[in-house]
Amino acid sequence: MLLVEKWNRLLEDTPDHVLLIGVLGERWSVRSINDRSIIWSERLRTIPGMAGRMVGFSLPNGPDWIGLFIAILRAGAVAMPLDPVGGKSGADALVKSLGGAAYIDEMSLNAWPTSGRRLPPGICLAKMTSGSTGTPGRFCFTHSEMDADGRQIENGMDIRPGDINFAVIPFGHSYGLGNFVMPLLRSGTPVALGRSIVPRELVADLKATRATVLPAVPPIIH
């Protein structure tokens, strides 16, 4: 099943179900996130020939990240989540070098003419390598591969629909995609939006959001 179909099922069955929780009491439901996605879809229509093309984007964890991700997939394009790479110009250059069609951040949407072969229809996501051993490269994944990744994470970590995932890891990181985005899409597992890994804030945010699952990396524990 396409990831968009899983989202559409959530929207049809549980539109008022809360998926994102802020530390100040903010709540974003399936419906409200979908409203953001519709706005993003309108903006994406300015990009010519998106189907099968990569769209790079760098946004903070939150409703716009999920909304844009869904909008990109609805357009038949390939989502390429990024951290800022030497500022916007660096991210633009990276996306262009890999054959992408556009780059989006909090300030702007920048698109350009593209050439070359489109990616196969089943591809939905391009993950970037860190670049620690050379020029960053891409690895592409299908809807079914990402769904399988999410299923493995849910089963292995015993993440259930009634849990609340606590996110200080960016959604766009490989770990974040598997631990937050896929359970959210597959099972409607809510995500709490942490502020930082500063210990005092981390503990306060866990209490405020009543999170039950803390996917962590060594810097968080240390």
Side-chain angles (χ1 to χ4, degrees):
M1 179 184 289
L2 299 179
L3 298 180
V4 171
E5 292 173 346
K6 293 183 179 293
W7 176 258
N8 290 340
R9 185 178 62 189
L10 284 175
L11 183 62
E12 181 178 353
D13 294 345
T14 56
D16 297 320
H17 176 57
V18 172
L19 287 179
L20 297 176
I21 301 169
V23 299
L24 299 179
E26 310 96 321
R27 298 289 190 271
W28 292 274
S29 66
V30 178
R31 192 198 312 272
S32 63
I33 295 171
N34 194 67
D35 289 342
R36 302 283 185 101
S37 184
I38 292 171
I39 293 171
W40 280 112
S41 291
E42 291 295 327
R43 295 187 65 189
L44 293 178
R45 290 196 177 98
T46 63
I47 305 173
M50 280 186 61
R53 302 293 189 189
M54 293 181 295
V55 176
F57 67 99
S58 179
L59 296 175
N61 290 357
D64 276 304
W65 197 105
I66 300 295
L68 176 55
F69 182 70
I70 295 297
I72 291 170
L73 299 188
R74 279 177 170 160
V78 178
M80 182 191 292
L82 296 171
D83 284 338
V85 183
K88 182 176 185 298
S89 61
D92 277 354
L94 176 61
V95 176
K96 284 182 182 179
S97 71
L98 295 171
Y103 173 74
I104 301 167
D105 60 19
E106 291 184 275
M107 303 300 295
S108 62
L109 184 159
N110 188 20
W112 49 81
T114 59
S115 60
R117 298 179 60 184
R118 300 176 187 272
L119 292 170
I123 300 296
C124 69
L125 181 78
K127 294 183 183 182
M128 299 304 303
T129 62
S130 66
S132 59
T133 58
T135 303
R138 74 178 189 195
F139 288 91
C140 294
F141 297 86
T142 65
H143 289 266
S144 61
E145 287 169 339
M146 292 307 301
D147 182 54
D149 182 39
R151 181 171 60 252
Q152 179 178 348
I153 290 293
E154 287 181 82
N155 292 338
M157 296 184 66
D158 195 26
I159 298 174
R160 305 182 184 188
D163 280 313
I164 299 175
N165 250 329
F166 187 81
V168 288
I169 299 168
F171 285 171
H173 284 193
S174 182
Y175 190 17
L177 285 162
N179 280 262
F180 305 126
V181 180
M182 291 305 111
L184 182 149
L185 290 176
R186 295 188 77 256
S187 304
T189 303
V191 177
L193 305 174
R195 291 174 292 177
S196 75
I197 64 172
V198 175
R200 185 173 298 173
E201 290 185 349
L202 184 67
V203 172
D205 292 351
L206 284 166
K207 290 181 178 179
T209 60
R210 298 185 179 181
T212 59
V213 182
L214 174 60
V217 291
I220 293 177
I221 304 301
H222 293 168

